[in-house]
Structures are given as structure tokens and as C-alpha cells.
Amino acid sequence: MNRMAKTALVTGILGQDGPYLAKLLIEKGYKVFGMIRRYSNPNYDNLDYLGVTKKVDFVEGDMTDESSLINTVRTLRPDEVYNLAAQSFVGDSWQMAKLTTEVNALGVLYLLNAIKFFSPTTKFYQASTSEMFGLGNTNGYQDENTTFHPRSPYGIAKVYAYWMTVNFRESYSLFTCNGILFNHESPIRGIQFVTRKITDGVARIKYGLSKKLSLGNLDAKRDWGFAGDYVEAMYRMMQQKKPDDFVVGTGENHSVREFVELAFHYAGISNWEKYVVTDPRFKRPAEVYELKSRPTKVHKVLEWKPKVSFKKLVKMMVDADLKRFEYA
Ligand code: NAP
Ligand code: G4F
């Protein structure tokens, strides 16, 4: 190991963003430690997909187990901690509100305390989210000044974590920042999320493995970008002289229906209406109807802009799922 290499601890390393961030940090010369929770059979597929599994050092820990976080931070004393771990599926958060709160809210407090007591020079990134805005908007968009009105236990837990992150900065002068990221997707997006559910469903239909695709609210609108672009914004936030909070998004939004239409189109299937059925099971008790960022601050201060357009993103995901089934 290069002794001068910076060190980063990434929680949630096996999810979607973890592997993209790990790849970026490794390319920048970091030594990356990835925290994984105890599993009888952990799944390294996403890290394998990006070719970085062997370049990450794994440490065991769980966001609900304070002592594991203390031990990890005390032992590694990393330069940077990126807290990506979460029960991140909004739809499940009503059924598992307590677990969601323990992981997404209290877990962040434990991690911040571990840094405060055992490694106060460590910089901390919190994976905050546009779900915190919920119904809140300012003339049809959301930015750093928009009021939070979360609509799910997930969003509420994230609001707690957001404010704890701000509070540790204000109370103890720690370097803590929030990236308020709008939806970002990729070929390794979890299968439950609507984009990947659509591209996986389209590929199954294309290869005759499925006849229907069941979805919930087709009118919901999201500001969708590519995960590979968004981890660069996380990194840049942590390189600032002063910690701050940033909204990260594309500045445009599209409906679930538009995503569906394009995905079927790229797979070469006409008449998408023939295959898509709406199922109330996939509707939410309280919906966030529309999210759209105003990313002026991140453009100006971090000089960050997304590289992958909405159309390119849909195509990338459709192509990847078609390829998976081609060899299945
Ligand atoms: P993801 O794919 O669901 O990954 C979340 C990771 O957290 C998984 O690796 C999971 O571990 C881990 N985790 C869950 N519970 C844990 C626990 N108790 N202890 C330790 N690790 C635990 O999520 P993502 O899309 O990469 O998102 C990364 C972060 O950004 C999340 O905090 C999410 O809430 C936030 N965010 C995401 C988006 C987006 O559009 N993707 C937008 C805004 C904010 P397992 O692999 O073991 O399940
Ligand atoms: O893909 P989704 O499940 O993502 P959602 O709820 O926007 O949350 C994602 O983005 C957040 C950032 O804004 C993250 F914080 C969070 O961790 C996660 O990554 O749903 C998107 C929209 C919703 O309006 C949902 O009601 O799609 C709608 N939808 C319609 N049919 C569906 C379905 N969502 C899912 N998951 N499955 C459906 O069948």
C-alpha cells in the first residue's frame, strides 16, 4: 500500500453507488475500505461488474450496531467516510419503518459520534436525498433552499440524518456534508427500483420469458441521472475547503410513462401498452408526484455537470439487460 495514499471508508459498498464510488476513488489513488454487513452469502456482483472487488479491503459492520462503527472508525481513522448505507427502497419503508429509521437515521448518528470521538479530522459525506423534499417545491423545482416535506418513513429518516450531519458541523466544527442527490440509475441499479424493473421487464418480454410488466403510478415524474456521474459530485464535495450541502441532479424530469415508452422503443418492441399493466400493489400510501432539481450551486461551486442524458441512460440500461438475457 502506498503510505501516502488517502484512505476512504465507504459504507453500502455492495449497493449501486458504492461500486461506482469505489472505482472512482481507486482511480484517484485512494485506499478504499468497504463496509459490509454480516451475511451468510454476501453478493459482490455489483463490484465485480465494475471490476473492483479485489481492489477493495472489506471491513464488517452494521449501521444498527454502534460498536461495530466505533471499532471501524477507531481502527481505520480514514481521511474520508462516505456513508452510502441505507434501507434505500422507499416502497418498503412503510412496512419497515422502524428498521428504516434505525439504519437511515440512528445509524448516521452512531457514525457521526464515532468520528467525533475517535477520528475528528475525518471528513464525512452523508447520502441525502431528494425524497426529503417530498411535496416541497419552489416554483416547480427543488434546490438547497426548498422546504422539506417528506412523504415516507424513508424520507423522514433521511431528514433526521441530514440535520444531524448539519448539526455536527455547526456544533463540533467537523467536516460533514450532505449530497442531496436526485434519482440516479445504472445497469447495476437494484431490481425493485422502477427504472431497472422496467429495463429488466422489457428484456424478459423481448426474449419471451415474460408476457407482462406490472407497474404502479405511471404519472410520477423523476429527475433521473446516471450513478457514474453522481459519484464524481460526492467526491468533489469532500475536496472543498469548507463543508457544505449540495443538490445534485440534471435539472429536468420525465414521467415513468416516458421511461417505459423509450425502454420498449430501444428494445425494438412496439405497442408498449399491450404489455404494461397497472397494479395497485405498486402504488404508495403517499406518493411524491414530481421531483426536479435546480442544480445551480453544484454547477457553480463544484463545476459539476452530468454527462449522460436521459435518453442515453435508458439505452444504457436496456442494452445491459438485453445482454444479460441474451446469454441466459
Ligand atoms: P442501494 O443500492 O440500496 O445500496 C445500499 C447499501 O446499504 C447496500 O449495499 C446495503 O447492504 C447497505 N445497507 C443496508 N442496510 C445496512 C445496514 N444495516 N448496515 C450496513 N449496510 C447496510 O442504494 P444506492 O442506490 O447505492 O444508494 C446509496 C445511498 O444513496 C443510499 O443511502 C440511498 O438512500 C441514497 N440515495 C440514493 C439515490 C438513488 O437514486 N440511487 C438518490 C438519493 C440518495 P446489502 O448490499 O448488504 O443489502
Ligand atoms: O424507482 P423508485 O422506487 O424510486 P424513488 O421512490 O424515487 O426513490 C429512489 O430515489 C430517491 C431519490 O429521490 C432515493 F432517495 C431512494 O433511495 C431511491 O433510490 O420509484 C420512482 C417512482 C415513484 O414515484 C414510484 O411510485 O416510480 C413510481 N413507480 C411506478 N411504478 C414505481 C413503480 N416504483 C417502483 N419501485 N415500482 C413500480 O412498479
Side-chain angles (χ1 to χ4, degrees), residues 299-315:
H299 289 175
K300 202 169 153 206
V301 181
L302 301 186
E303 294 178 354
W304 176 91
K305 280 194 178 162
K307 296 188 180 116
V308 176
S309 68
F310 175 66
K311 282 185 172 176
K312 268 197 184 158
L313 174 68
V314 180
K315 184 155 187 344

Side-chain angles (χ1 to χ4, degrees), residues 88-91 129-131 154 181-183 185 189 192-195 197 214-218 220-222 224 256 282-284 287-288 291:
S88 79
F89 187 52
V90 174
T129 164
S130 49
E131 270 294 305
Y154 169 84
L181 271 52
F182 283 62
N183 299 49
E185 320 292 314
R189 181 59 143 154
Q192 278 185 307
F193 300 94
V194 77
T195 54
K197 184 176 169 183
S214 301
L215 296 170
N217 180 14
L218 298 182
K221 287 187 169 174
R222 289 292 182 274
W224 279 299
V256 172
F282 299 116
K283 292 198 171 158
R284 294 173 179 178
E287 175 66 290
V288 171
L291 290 172

Side-chain angles (χ1 to χ4, degrees), residues 144 175 177-178 232-248 294-305:
E144 292 80 3
F175 189 111
C177 58
N178 285 287
E232 176 72 38
M234 297 177 188
Y235 168 76
R236 289 191 190 187
M237 258 174 247
M238 294 284 263
Q239 312 314 313
Q240 292 297 291
K241 284 213 174 75
K242 281 188 179 166
D244 203 350
D245 309 312
F246 292 87
V247 153
V248 181
R294 192 175 72 139
T296 316
K297 183 174 171 184
V298 74
H299 289 175
K300 202 169 153 206
V301 181
L302 301 186
E303 294 178 354
W304 176 91
K305 280 194 178 162

Side-chain angles (χ1 to χ4, degrees), residues 12 14-17 35 37 39 61-63 84-86 88 103 127-129 154 158 181-185 189:
L14 303 182
Q16 172 188 252
D17 291 3
M35 195 181 88
R37 52 183 166 158
Y39 252 132
D62 194 298
M63 294 304 289
L84 308 184
S88 79
V103 177
S128 284
T129 164
Y154 169 84
K158 286 282 188 175
L181 271 52
F182 283 62
N183 299 49
H184 46 279
E185 320 292 314
R189 181 59 143 154

